[in-house]
């Protein structure tokens, strides 16, 4: 639905927040909003979970939290 370039540095920690409210999705890193989109597709999910997927390289995470709005 959306993507945004982000300047990052190896071994720096970043706070990524994805806020999903119905079809509205907002992504921010360290308090800066990167994008806001609405999923208006016919096959949009009404419920689900979260996954961390890395295509190339590696990922490190301290915590993943999912909570109601």
């Amino acid at each position: 639905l959306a993507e945004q370039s982000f300047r990052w540095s190896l071994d720096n920690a970043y706070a990524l927040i994805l806020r999903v409210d119905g079809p509205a999705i907002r992504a921010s890193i360290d308090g800066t909003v990167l994008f806001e989109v609405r999923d208006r597709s016919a096959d949009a999910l009404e419920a689900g979970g979260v996954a961390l997927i890395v295509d190339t390289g590696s990922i490190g995470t301290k915590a993943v939290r999912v909570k109601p709005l």
Side-chain angles (χ1 to χ4, degrees):
L1 295 173
E3 64 181 61
Q4 176 66 44
S5 298
F6 171 71
R7 287 185 167 260
W8 59 274
S9 298
L10 188 63
D11 295 328
N12 281 357
Y14 301 98
L16 168 65
I17 297 175
L18 293 175
R19 181 184 171 107
V20 180
D21 187 4
I25 303 167
R26 180 173 62 200
S28 61
I29 296 180
D30 291 341
T32 300
V33 175
L34 298 179
F35 60 79
E36 295 183 72
V37 295
R38 294 182 76 78
D39 188 349
R40 299 183 190 277
S41 63
D43 58 348
L45 300 176
E46 293 185 19
V50 63
L52 302 176
I53 300 172
V54 177
D55 181 70
T56 304
S58 64
I59 188 171
T61 183
K62 184 176 180 181
V64 175
R65 288 186 286 269
V66 177
K67 61 183 183 178
L69 295 174

